[in-house]
Amino acid sequence: MTRRLRPVGLGFTEDAPTRLVFTARASAAPDAVYRALAEEVTGWPSWFRAVTLARPTGGGGGREVRLMGGVRFRETVMAADPGRRYAYRVDETNVPAVRALLEEWLLTPADRSPGTAPAPGTSAAGTPAAPAAPGTSGTPAASPAPGAAAPGTLVRWTFAADGPPAFRLALAAARPGLGHSFRTAVRTLDARLAARTRG
C-alpha cells in the first residue's frame, strides 16, 4: 500500500532524526558524475544494483524509483546544481513506518594525486565541506589549471529519514549494508564513466 510522507525541505539533511552519511571517491570529474545522477536517471539500474527502475517524471522535476524487493518511491527533485549537488525527497512509498525521507548527493572536486593539498570545498581531512545553505547555489568549483590533470570527485551521500523508534533502529542496523551498496555503486559508475571516456 502506497503512503504519502511528510514533505521536508533541504534542511532535513542536517536536522533529520536519522542521518546516514557515506563518502566515496571517483576518478571521474564532478560534471560527469552529476550527469549520471541527474540527467541520465534511467541509467541508474546499470550501476546501482539495488535499483531496478528509475525514470524522470513531471518533466524532470520528479522521479519514480523501484528497488529490489518491490520497494517503490515517487520523489520530488529538491536540488539539481550541475556538478555540485543532486537531492530528492520521497513523497510516496510502500515502505512501512517511514514518515519522511530525503537523499542528497554532494559532489566535490578531489585531486587524484595522494599527498596534495585538499581540493576546494573539502576539509584538510579530505571530506566534503558542508553544502551551501538550502536555496542558495554556492560558489562554483574552480576549474583545474591548464595542463593539469582533471580532478576526480568526492561523493557524499546523505540519507536523512524520520520514523518511529523501531524504524530508526532498523536503519541503524542497515547502515553497513547501505554503505557497502553505495560504495559499490560509485565504483561501478566510475568504471562505466571511464569506459565511456575511453570509447
Side-chain angles (χ1 to χ4, degrees):
M1 178 179 177
T2 300
R3 302 167 45 252
R4 285 202 65 82
L5 304 189
R6 185 175 84 248
V8 293
L10 288 170
F12 194 63
T13 59
E14 297 298 328
D15 56 28
T18 299
R19 295 175 65 251
L20 304 180
V21 182
F22 308 97
T23 60
R25 184 181 293 254
S27 59
D31 285 345
V33 177
Y34 176 84
R35 282 193 297 273
L37 289 172
E39 298 173 9
E40 301 170 358
V41 173
T42 58
W44 277 54
S46 67
W47 55 269
F48 208 133
R49 192 171 65 177
V51 178
T52 61
L53 178 143
R55 61 187 173 199
T57 60
R63 310 188 329 159
E64 179 183 356
V65 174
R66 297 183 185 179
L67 306 181
M68 294 176 66
V71 172
R72 299 188 304 274
F73 297 124
R74 290 193 65 85
E75 304 167 341
T76 295
V77 175
M78 302 293 290
D81 304 327
R84 293 185 58 249
R85 178 171 61 167
Y86 186 57
Y88 43 88
R89 177 187 69 210
V90 175
D91 296 319
E92 298 179 9
T93 184
N94 61 346
V95 176
V98 62
R99 295 173 183 153
L101 177 58
L102 188 141
E103 298 177 39
E104 176 190 65
W105 296 71
L106 185 68
L107 311 176
T108 307
D111 194 315
R112 291 176 182 162
S113 304
T116 57
T122 63
S123 69
T127 56
T136 65
S137 60
T139 303
S143 299
T153 305
L154 287 173
V155 183
R156 184 175 78 177
W157 179 44
T158 300
F159 187 94
D162 185 22
F167 171 78
R168 297 181 203 174
L169 285 173
L171 268 186
R175 182 185 185 99
L178 285 171
H180 175 74
S181 180
F182 163 72
R183 289 186 294 273
T184 300
V186 172
R187 283 196 303 270
T188 303
L189 174 60
D190 202 31
R192 290 180 65 84
L193 293 175
R196 182 185 298 180
T197 300
R198 289 193 300 270

